Amino acid sequence: MKAQFLKTIRNSVKHWYIPLIVGLLFAGLGIYALMSPVESFLALAFMFSLSFIFSGIGEITFAMANKDEMDNWGWNLAFGIMTFLIGILLMSKPEISLVTLSFYIGFLMLFRSMMGISYALELKQYGVSDWTKLMIVSVLGVVFSFILIWNPVLAGMTIIFWIGLTLIVVGAFSIYLSIKLKKLNAMPGKISDELKSRYDAIKKEMHDEMNKT
């Protein structure tokens, strides 16, 4: 049986706007990075730390609120914890180097992009026709993350550019996902009680069949 992205037959997604806020925060941070000279690196690192702390708290809240509605809520929880911890780490080490910063951000965004690929595949299973857009954005995020992690020499003096571009792409993923969550959020209200009851009966029948000795 295919895993479902959301159990929207019965339940609505809670706080669908949190990924939107996180996405806008990442995208805004990426634009800020592109517009900031290397000389303002300390200010940039401080902005990153604050943004990651708030984003991590938001992702953790979203994951815990939807653990009964989303099959893969653990992805969001793990990403939220990682984002929060990296934010704390950056806050505690303001003297961190540019290359080290690119490694932390690259690793974090790589995890986020892999999560995006997983979500894209599950949106496909769920019947969302334009799942390929999320897949393309997530794959781009993986590519940019690899540049930051495994080839900082290639990034060279343009490392801030790659950081900014990666954050923008990952932010676009969160914004797109939130739009889809909002649409799926309205689905339970459009489904009749009879269909919901039939859905529950089928689930129970399948569960009983799978647990027969």
Side-chain angles (χ1 to χ4, degrees), residues 91-153:
M91 182 71 74
S92 64
K93 294 186 177 181
E95 73 283 358
I96 194 170
S97 70
L98 189 59
V99 173
T100 305
L101 176 65
S102 70
F103 175 79
Y104 284 141
I105 294 178
F107 179 77
L108 184 64
M109 296 302 107
L110 175 62
F111 183 87
R112 179 67 163 183
S113 299
M114 295 299 293
M115 183 175 72
I117 292 175
S118 175
Y119 277 155
L121 293 174
E122 294 199 28
L123 283 174
K124 178 184 178 182
Q125 293 179 352
Y126 202 76
V128 178
S129 60
D130 55 349
W131 62 274
T132 53
K133 295 179 181 178
L134 181 58
M135 177 65 75
I136 292 172
V137 171
S138 300
V139 170
L140 286 175
V142 170
V143 172
F144 296 152
S145 298
F146 266 92
I147 292 175
L148 289 177
I149 296 172
W150 280 280
N151 217 334
V153 176

Side-chain angles (χ1 to χ4, degrees), residues 167-183:
L167 288 169
I168 290 173
V169 169
V170 173
F173 153 74
S174 290
I175 293 171
Y176 177 85
L177 179 62
S178 69
I179 293 172
K180 291 303 175 184
L181 290 177
K182 181 182 180 182
K183 291 182 178 179

Side-chain angles (χ1 to χ4, degrees), residues 26-40:
F26 279 157
L29 195 59
I31 294 172
Y32 177 77
L34 293 178
M35 298 175 62
S36 299
V38 177
E39 290 76 11
S40 62

Side-chain angles (χ1 to χ4, degrees), residues 9-206:
I9 291 293
R10 297 295 306 178
N11 305 304
S12 296
V13 184
K14 300 180 180 71
H15 311 311
W16 61 266
Y17 51 83
I18 290 181
L20 175 63
I21 295 173
V22 172
L24 291 173
L25 189 59
F26 279 157
L29 195 59
I31 294 172
Y32 177 77
L34 293 178
M35 298 175 62
S36 299
V38 177
E39 290 76 11
S40 62
F41 170 66
L42 288 179
L44 192 61
F46 180 73
M47 289 288 295
F48 283 165
S49 62
L50 283 181
S51 299
F52 287 171
I53 288 172
F54 288 124
S55 298
I57 293 174
E59 290 284 352
I60 292 171
T61 301
F62 177 76
M64 296 305 297
N66 288 288
K67 57 185 176 61
D68 295 326
E69 283 72 37
M70 298 179 65
D71 292 312
N72 278 348
W73 64 274
W75 277 98
N76 289 92
L77 179 62
F79 178 74
I81 293 173
M82 289 174 60
T83 305
F84 178 78
L85 291 178
I86 289 180
I88 294 295
L89 181 62
L90 293 177
M91 182 71 74
S92 64
K93 294 186 177 181
E95 73 283 358
I96 194 170
S97 70
L98 189 59
V99 173
T100 305
L101 176 65
S102 70
F103 175 79
Y104 284 141
I105 294 178
F107 179 77
L108 184 64
M109 296 302 107
L110 175 62
F111 183 87
R112 179 67 163 183
S113 299
M114 295 299 293
M115 183 175 72
I117 292 175
S118 175
Y119 277 155
L121 293 174
E122 294 199 28
L123 283 174
K124 178 184 178 182
Q125 293 179 352
Y126 202 76
V128 178
S129 60
D130 55 349
W131 62 274
T132 53
K133 295 179 181 178
L134 181 58
M135 177 65 75
I136 292 172
V137 171
S138 300
V139 170
L140 286 175
V142 170
V143 172
F144 296 152
S145 298
F146 266 92
I147 292 175
L148 289 177
I149 296 172
W150 280 280
N151 217 334
V153 176
L154 173 64
M157 294 302 294
T158 61
I159 196 168
I160 291 292
F161 170 80
W162 288 110
I163 289 175
L165 202 57
T166 304
L167 288 169
I168 290 173
V169 169
V170 173
F173 153 74
S174 290
I175 293 171
Y176 177 85
L177 179 62
S178 69
I179 293 172
K180 291 303 175 184
L181 290 177
K182 181 182 180 182
K183 291 182 178 179
L184 290 171
N185 185 59
M187 187 179 294
K190 299 178 181 180
I191 299 175
S192 66
D193 291 337
E194 179 183 357
L195 183 56
K196 292 178 182 178
S197 298
R198 289 171 59 189
Y199 171 77
D200 287 338
I202 292 173
K203 281 183 62 179
K204 184 178 184 304
E205 183 178 346
M206 293 179 64

